[in-house]
PDB file of all heavy atoms in Angstrom:
ATOM      1  N   GLU J  84      23.998 283.030 181.713  1.00 94.00           N
ATOM      2  CA  GLU J  84      23.676 284.409 181.978  1.00 94.00           C
ATOM      3  C   GLU J  84      22.248 284.695 182.160  1.00 94.00           C
ATOM      4  O   GLU J  84      21.443 284.266 181.340  1.00 94.00           O
ATOM      5  CB  GLU J  84      24.219 285.236 180.704  1.00 94.00           C
ATOM      6  CG  GLU J  84      24.035 286.648 180.812  1.00 94.00           C
ATOM      7  CD  GLU J  84      24.681 287.515 179.548  1.00 94.00           C
ATOM      8  OE1 GLU J  84      25.546 286.956 178.950  1.00 94.00           O
ATOM      9  OE2 GLU J  84      24.078 288.478 179.314  1.00 94.00           O
ATOM     10  N   VAL J  87      18.763 285.985 179.578  1.00 96.00           N
ATOM     11  CA  VAL J  87      18.849 285.520 178.207  1.00 96.00           C
ATOM     12  C   VAL J  87      17.502 284.832 177.777  1.00 96.00           C
ATOM     13  O   VAL J  87      16.935 285.174 176.725  1.00 96.00           O
ATOM     14  CB  VAL J  87      20.102 284.679 177.785  1.00 96.00           C
ATOM     15  CG1 VAL J  87      19.976 284.031 176.510  1.00 96.00           C
ATOM     16  CG2 VAL J  87      21.348 285.595 177.929  1.00 96.00           C
ATOM     17  N   ARG J 262      30.774 298.954 168.743  1.00 98.00           N
ATOM     18  CA  ARG J 262      29.454 298.642 168.952  1.00 98.00           C
ATOM     19  C   ARG J 262      29.059 297.341 168.397  1.00 98.00           C
ATOM     20  O   ARG J 262      28.297 296.554 168.919  1.00 98.00           O
ATOM     21  CB  ARG J 262      28.460 299.803 168.600  1.00 98.00           C
ATOM     22  CG  ARG J 262      27.089 299.560 168.747  1.00 98.00           C
ATOM     23  CD  ARG J 262      26.635 299.128 170.239  1.00 98.00           C
ATOM     24  NE  ARG J 262      25.273 298.388 170.118  1.00 98.00           N
ATOM     25  CZ  ARG J 262      24.929 297.595 171.049  1.00 98.00           C
ATOM     26  NH1 ARG J 262      25.692 297.438 172.246  1.00 98.00           N
ATOM     27  NH2 ARG J 262      23.787 297.000 170.914  1.00 98.00           N
ATOM     28  N   THR J 265      29.540 294.191 170.520  1.00 98.00           N
ATOM     29  CA  THR J 265      28.639 293.929 171.644  1.00 98.00           C
ATOM     30  C   THR J 265      27.223 293.572 171.095  1.00 98.00           C
ATOM     31  O   THR J 265      26.583 292.706 171.626  1.00 98.00           O
ATOM     32  CB  THR J 265      28.485 295.349 172.346  1.00 98.00           C
ATOM     33  OG1 THR J 265      29.784 295.697 172.526  1.00 98.00           O
ATOM     34  CG2 THR J 265      27.924 295.054 173.793  1.00 98.00           C
ATOM     35  N   HIS J 266      26.785 294.304 170.031  1.00 98.00           N
ATOM     36  CA  HIS J 266      25.572 293.926 169.352  1.00 98.00           C
ATOM     37  C   HIS J 266      25.500 292.451 168.925  1.00 98.00           C
ATOM     38  O   HIS J 266      24.545 291.835 169.169  1.00 98.00           O
ATOM     39  CB  HIS J 266      25.445 294.939 168.183  1.00 98.00           C
ATOM     40  CG  HIS J 266      24.281 294.806 167.225  1.00 98.00           C
ATOM     41  ND1 HIS J 266      23.289 295.722 167.249  1.00 98.00           N
ATOM     42  CD2 HIS J 266      24.027 294.004 166.286  1.00 98.00           C
ATOM     43  CE1 HIS J 266      22.395 295.467 166.435  1.00 98.00           C
ATOM     44  NE2 HIS J 266      22.821 294.409 165.659  1.00 98.00           N
ATOM     45  N   ASN J 267      26.620 292.088 168.279  1.00 98.00           N
ATOM     46  CA  ASN J 267      26.630 290.671 167.808  1.00 98.00           C
ATOM     47  C   ASN J 267      26.818 289.668 168.938  1.00 98.00           C
ATOM     48  O   ASN J 267      26.411 288.551 168.881  1.00 98.00           O
ATOM     49  CB  ASN J 267      27.745 290.552 166.801  1.00 98.00           C
ATOM     50  CG  ASN J 267      27.496 291.250 165.476  1.00 98.00           C
ATOM     51  OD1 ASN J 267      26.344 291.520 165.114  1.00 98.00           O
ATOM     52  ND2 ASN J 267      28.640 291.363 164.726  1.00 98.00           N
ATOM     53  N   LYS J 268      27.452 290.144 169.988  1.00 98.00           N
ATOM     54  CA  LYS J 268      27.530 289.188 171.201  1.00 98.00           C
ATOM     55  C   LYS J 268      26.027 288.989 171.698  1.00 98.00           C
ATOM     56  O   LYS J 268      25.791 287.895 172.132  1.00 98.00           O
ATOM     57  CB  LYS J 268      28.414 289.985 172.250  1.00 98.00           C
ATOM     58  CG  LYS J 268      28.725 289.076 173.531  1.00 98.00           C
ATOM     59  CD  LYS J 268      27.668 289.043 174.540  1.00 98.00           C
ATOM     60  CE  LYS J 268      28.111 288.290 175.737  1.00 98.00           C
ATOM     61  NZ  LYS J 268      27.161 288.214 176.904  1.00 98.00           N
ATOM     62  N   GLY J 269      25.213 290.028 171.712  1.00 98.00           N
ATOM     63  CA  GLY J 269      23.858 289.875 172.057  1.00 98.00           C
ATOM     64  C   GLY J 269      23.193 288.833 171.295  1.00 98.00           C
ATOM     65  O   GLY J 269      22.431 287.973 171.680  1.00 98.00           O
ATOM     66  N   ILE J 270      23.391 288.904 169.903  1.00 98.00           N
ATOM     67  CA  ILE J 270      22.800 287.918 169.048  1.00 98.00           C
ATOM     68  C   ILE J 270      23.309 286.501 169.322  1.00 98.00           C
ATOM     69  O   ILE J 270      22.508 285.582 169.474  1.00 98.00           O
ATOM     70  CB  ILE J 270      23.217 288.254 167.573  1.00 98.00           C
ATOM     71  CG1 ILE J 270      22.481 289.518 167.142  1.00 98.00           C
ATOM     72  CG2 ILE J 270      22.818 287.175 166.601  1.00 98.00           C
ATOM     73  CD1 ILE J 270      22.966 290.160 165.774  1.00 98.00           C
ATOM     74  N   ASN J 272      24.225 285.481 172.186  1.00 98.00           N
ATOM     75  CA  ASN J 272      23.782 284.939 173.453  1.00 98.00           C
ATOM     76  C   ASN J 272      22.625 284.044 173.170  1.00 98.00           C
ATOM     77  O   ASN J 272      22.486 282.890 173.825  1.00 98.00           O
ATOM     78  CB  ASN J 272      23.114 286.058 174.192  1.00 98.00           C
ATOM     79  CG  ASN J 272      24.099 286.822 175.103  1.00 98.00           C
ATOM     80  OD1 ASN J 272      25.182 286.357 175.261  1.00 98.00           O
ATOM     81  ND2 ASN J 272      23.701 287.990 175.616  1.00 98.00           N
ATOM     82  N   GLN J 365      16.751 287.667 170.388  1.00 98.00           N
ATOM     83  CA  GLN J 365      17.718 288.116 171.467  1.00 98.00           C
ATOM     84  C   GLN J 365      18.360 289.592 171.141  1.00 98.00           C
ATOM     85  O   GLN J 365      18.344 290.422 172.062  1.00 98.00           O
ATOM     86  CB  GLN J 365      18.836 287.175 171.569  1.00 98.00           C
ATOM     87  CG  GLN J 365      19.574 287.020 172.872  1.00 98.00           C
ATOM     88  CD  GLN J 365      18.542 286.258 173.811  1.00 98.00           C
ATOM     89  OE1 GLN J 365      18.247 285.156 173.533  1.00 98.00           O
ATOM     90  NE2 GLN J 365      18.332 286.801 174.983  1.00 98.00           N
ATOM     91  N   ASN J 366      18.406 289.763 170.051  1.00 98.00           N
ATOM     92  CA  ASN J 366      18.915 291.141 169.599  1.00 98.00           C
ATOM     93  C   ASN J 366      17.915 292.245 169.725  1.00 98.00           C
ATOM     94  O   ASN J 366      18.119 293.283 170.097  1.00 98.00           O
ATOM     95  CB  ASN J 366      19.447 290.987 168.013  1.00 98.00           C
ATOM     96  CG  ASN J 366      20.035 292.243 167.428  1.00 98.00           C
ATOM     97  OD1 ASN J 366      19.889 292.447 166.256  1.00 98.00           O
ATOM     98  ND2 ASN J 366      20.833 292.955 168.250  1.00 98.00           N
ATOM     99  N   ALA J 369      17.658 293.122 173.361  1.00 97.00           N
ATOM    100  CA  ALA J 369      18.688 294.010 173.760  1.00 97.00           C
ATOM    101  C   ALA J 369      18.561 295.463 173.383  1.00 97.00           C
ATOM    102  O   ALA J 369      18.570 296.397 174.095  1.00 97.00           O
ATOM    103  CB  ALA J 369      20.055 293.545 173.313  1.00 97.00           C
ATOM    104  N   LEU J 370      18.040 295.603 171.999  1.00 97.00           N
ATOM    105  CA  LEU J 370      17.939 296.908 171.443  1.00 97.00           C
ATOM    106  C   LEU J 370      16.790 297.595 172.094  1.00 97.00           C
ATOM    107  O   LEU J 370      16.639 298.915 172.365  1.00 97.00           O
ATOM    108  CB  LEU J 370      17.783 296.821 169.909  1.00 97.00           C
ATOM    109  CG  LEU J 370      18.952 296.325 169.130  1.00 97.00           C
ATOM    110  CD1 LEU J 370      18.808 296.489 167.582  1.00 97.00           C
ATOM    111  CD2 LEU J 370      20.272 297.243 169.597  1.00 97.00           C
ATOM    112  N   LEU J 373      17.971 298.826 175.347  1.00 95.00           N
ATOM    113  CA  LEU J 373      18.868 299.921 175.321  1.00 95.00           C
ATOM    114  C   LEU J 373      18.168 301.120 174.856  1.00 95.00           C
ATOM    115  O   LEU J 373      18.675 302.239 175.248  1.00 95.00           O
ATOM    116  CB  LEU J 373      20.042 299.437 174.321  1.00 95.00           C
ATOM    117  CG  LEU J 373      20.996 298.441 174.871  1.00 95.00           C
ATOM    118  CD1 LEU J 373      21.839 297.754 173.676  1.00 95.00           C
ATOM    119  CD2 LEU J 373      21.835 298.915 175.924  1.00 95.00           C
ATOM    120  N   ILE J 378      19.744 298.795 179.883  1.00 79.00           N
ATOM    121  CA  ILE J 378      19.892 297.227 179.940  1.00 79.00           C
ATOM    122  C   ILE J 378      19.872 296.883 181.417  1.00 79.00           C
ATOM    123  O   ILE J 378      19.509 295.676 181.808  1.00 79.00           O
ATOM    124  CB  ILE J 378      21.156 296.698 179.262  1.00 79.00           C
ATOM    125  CG1 ILE J 378      20.923 295.222 178.803  1.00 79.00           C
ATOM    126  CG2 ILE J 378      22.383 296.841 180.129  1.00 79.00           C
ATOM    127  CD1 ILE J 378      20.076 295.122 177.551  1.00 79.00           C
ATOM    128  N   HIS J 382      18.200 293.505 183.665  1.00 75.00           N
ATOM    129  CA  HIS J 382      19.224 292.599 184.056  1.00 75.00           C
ATOM    130  C   HIS J 382      19.275 292.409 185.602  1.00 75.00           C
ATOM    131  O   HIS J 382      19.506 291.315 186.105  1.00 75.00           O
ATOM    132  CB  HIS J 382      20.628 293.255 183.476  1.00 75.00           C
ATOM    133  CG  HIS J 382      21.391 292.451 182.685  1.00 75.00           C
ATOM    134  ND1 HIS J 382      21.034 292.301 181.343  1.00 75.00           N
ATOM    135  CD2 HIS J 382      22.509 291.768 182.953  1.00 75.00           C
ATOM    136  CE1 HIS J 382      21.947 291.473 180.731  1.00 75.00           C
ATOM    137  NE2 HIS J 382      22.855 291.177 181.706  1.00 75.00           N
TER     138      HIS J 382
HETATM  139  C1  MEV T   1      24.861 291.256 177.132  1.00 68.36           C
HETATM  140  O1  MEV T   1      25.111 290.015 177.378  1.00 68.36           O
HETATM  141  C2  MEV T   1      24.511 291.526 175.782  1.00 68.36           C
HETATM  142  C3  MEV T   1      24.155 292.941 175.428  1.00 68.36           C
HETATM  143  O2  MEV T   1      25.245 293.779 175.676  1.00 68.36           O
HETATM  144  C4  MEV T   1      23.909 293.060 173.806  1.00 68.36           C
HETATM  145  C5  MEV T   1      23.776 294.503 173.246  1.00 68.36           C
HETATM  146  O3  MEV T   1      24.308 295.471 173.903  1.00 68.36           O
HETATM  147  O4  MEV T   1      23.166 294.659 172.179  1.00 68.36           O
HETATM  148  C6  MEV T   1      22.957 293.594 176.134  1.00 68.36           C
END
Side-chain angles (χ1 to χ4, degrees):
E84 183 174 331
V87 168
R262 173 57 201 156
T265 321
H266 179 100
N267 290 343
K268 190 272 184 183
I270 294 172
N272 275 346
Q365 209 73 54
N366 186 217
L370 293 190
L373 288 167
I378 211 75
H382 234 77

